[in-house]
Amino acid sequence: MLKKTIIYTFFLIGIICFGTVDLSAQTKKTREELEKEKADVQARLREFDAILKQTTAIKKTTLGELNAITRQFQTQTRLVNTLDREVKLINQEINETEEKIASLEEALKDLKAEYGRMIYNASKLNRGLSIVAFVFSSNNFNQLYSRLMYLKQYTDSRKQQAIQIEKLSLELAEQRKTLDQRKSEKENVLSEEKKERAELERLKQSQQGVVNNLSKKEKDIKRQITATKKQQDQLNKMIKQVIEEEIRRAEAASRKENSNTTKSAGSSMPMTPEAAALSSSFAGNKGRLPWPVETGFITQRYGTYPHPTLKGITMENDGIDIRTQPNSNVRTVFDGTVTKITTMPGYGGTVIIKHGEYYTMYSKLKTISVKTGQKVNAKDVIGQVATGPDGEAEVHFQTWKGLQVMDPSTWVTSK
């Protein structure tokens, strides 16, 4: 009887000890990642607000305004989705905590019942014999030793049970406190989600209002897009001429020096070892380059695609357009050499910087603070952004590898 009680007690304690593992630890990393994502999205929305407020007084129904509202709407949608995921995660944590509380309550009930039985059995051993009589009624020394060991284990087990009862009681109180906290967090997030959904609906209505107005000006918009495309073609023609001239110079220098130049894999341009190293370093930082402006958001992405909200309108862009604060500094994204400074129709001040076989172009500048041939480092200020008649401050940014234009959004850090 005594031996079975001791074995059962240690078995029960073992189940309790292993059963009290914190289940919430399984979702801790996910929760931290979700909180970081939410903070990042909220920071982006604050950036949107700060930039768009600059044009509130003078904004008109323009394609640029629609692009900005569309990007804001997309980011607001992302925030609402993040909050929705957070609510689901909290619900999961609440369910896990409730299951854990139920398990702890059941374990505590069993442990207290077993402890009660042990107290009762301690007073009656072997047909009512006292503990002393039980020990000294042994038939031989081996039996005496065995009974002493049983009693020692029995006493240790009772102490361990008492410790576990106290531990479980504290753990149960802590889990109930955690449950209350999770429920409170859920209410807060639901309230926040409700508020952000209302903001999302406001943005949706604002976006639809602009769409309705612009839809009446479809011919004007298409004419504007055609004119912009023509200006961009002139811009691209200019940068290709600059790059072709650079290639010719490099080939001429290569023929002259012969042994001091090299070509990187896939490159159409001979380069000095220093230029090859710079080119390799630029390529190695793909996806990690800083933005050409400190704050901002992309209003028109790279490529040819249908406008996300205006039917029948196709967008074309060989770079990205970044909306930012008026008078913001424009910065180079990597070490290099200023190769060309010019002014282009529709794009204003333009700077081209060479990074080995790679080139970056910065347009729509109102002032330029560098000179042709000047060496620059990453984040060096090269000028200030121009502000259009509608109060929209945008930078046009392009990336090239030789004569091949690339998507700049894949080179800068994601936001």
Side-chain angles (χ1 to χ4, degrees), residues 228-392:
T228 301
K229 177 59 180 171
K230 184 177 180 181
Q231 291 168 347
Q232 193 171 115
D233 287 342
Q234 292 175 339
L235 188 71
N236 291 347
K237 182 179 179 181
M238 181 272 295
I239 190 173
K240 285 180 179 179
Q241 289 174 345
V242 170
I243 295 172
E244 286 171 349
E245 179 60 27
E246 287 291 319
I247 292 174
R248 284 194 292 271
R249 288 178 185 174
E251 288 175 343
S254 175
R255 287 193 295 271
K256 185 176 181 180
E257 298 182 11
N258 196 23
S259 61
N260 291 329
T261 58
T262 184
K263 274 191 179 184
S264 64
S267 173
S268 60
M269 179 188 299
M271 290 182 289
T272 63
E274 292 80 6
L278 182 62
S279 182
S280 177
S281 181
F282 186 93
N285 278 278
K286 186 175 183 179
R288 298 195 298 270
L289 298 178
W291 279 44
V293 285
E294 192 170 346
T295 62
F297 55 90
I298 296 173
T299 52
Q300 188 176 341
R301 59 187 174 87
Y302 170 87
T304 301
Y305 50 90
H307 193 278
T309 49
L310 282 177
K311 294 181 180 179
I313 300 297
T314 299
M315 308 299 292
E316 292 184 64
N317 200 351
D318 287 324
I320 56 175
D321 292 292
I322 304 172
R323 182 83 167 267
T324 186
Q325 298 273 10
N327 304 315
S328 291
N329 288 331
V330 179
R331 317 172 301 178
T332 179
V333 299
F334 202 73
D335 301 351
T337 304
V338 178
T339 300
K340 181 77 172 180
I341 295 175
T342 187
T343 300
M344 296 297 296
Y347 284 88
T350 297
V351 177
I352 299 174
I353 298 177
K354 180 182 178 182
H355 318 274
E357 65 178 323
Y358 292 89
Y359 294 83
T360 53
M361 182 170 67
Y362 314 76
S363 293
K364 298 186 178 180
L365 308 183
K366 71 173 182 179
T367 61
I368 295 173
S369 53
V370 289
K371 296 178 180 180
T372 302
Q374 180 178 334
K375 292 188 179 299
V376 291
N377 297 318
K379 294 187 178 181
D380 278 355
V381 175
I382 60 174
Q384 279 189 323
V385 65
T387 301
D390 298 319
E392 299 169 0

Side-chain angles (χ1 to χ4, degrees), residues 48 52 59-74 203-215 221 297-300 307-311 313 315 323 392 394:
F48 275 93
L52 294 178
K59 70 179 182 181
K60 300 177 182 179
T61 305
T62 64
L63 192 59
E65 182 193 356
L66 177 59
N67 290 340
I69 292 176
T70 299
R71 288 288 292 120
Q72 190 177 22
F73 179 80
Q74 292 169 346
L203 284 171
K204 184 178 181 180
Q205 292 176 1
S206 177
Q207 181 189 52
Q208 190 58 50
V210 176
V211 168
N212 292 340
N213 288 332
L214 288 178
S215 295
I221 292 172
F297 55 90
I298 296 173
T299 52
Q300 188 176 341
H307 193 278
T309 49
L310 282 177
K311 294 181 180 179
I313 300 297
M315 308 299 292
R323 182 83 167 267
E392 299 169 0
E394 273 189 349

Side-chain angles (χ1 to χ4, degrees), residues 76 80 84 192-201:
Q76 184 71 25
V80 170
D84 185 59
E192 186 179 2
E193 184 179 12
K194 182 179 179 181
K195 173 186 171 185
E196 297 301 342
R197 283 188 182 278
E199 175 63 14
L200 185 64
E201 184 61 29

Side-chain angles (χ1 to χ4, degrees), residues 124-184:
K124 292 185 177 183
L125 294 170
N126 274 6
R127 299 179 183 178
L129 291 175
S130 68
I131 293 177
V132 175
F134 171 71
V135 172
F136 286 100
S137 63
S138 304
N139 295 325
N140 52 52
F141 179 78
N142 287 337
Q143 190 178 52
L144 173 68
Y145 179 77
S146 295
R147 289 185 177 184
L148 285 172
M149 291 303 298
Y150 282 154
L151 287 173
K152 183 179 183 303
Q153 291 176 6
Y154 193 76
T155 302
D156 291 344
S157 178
R158 281 177 58 187
K159 289 180 180 179
Q160 188 64 28
Q161 274 191 314
I163 292 171
Q164 286 301 317
I165 287 173
E166 182 180 2
K167 180 181 177 182
L168 274 181
S169 298
L170 292 172
E171 175 70 9
L172 194 55
E174 187 64 30
Q175 289 301 319
R176 283 172 177 154
K177 180 180 177 182
T178 298
L179 183 61
D180 290 339
Q181 289 174 343
R182 293 292 179 268
K183 288 181 176 179
S184 177

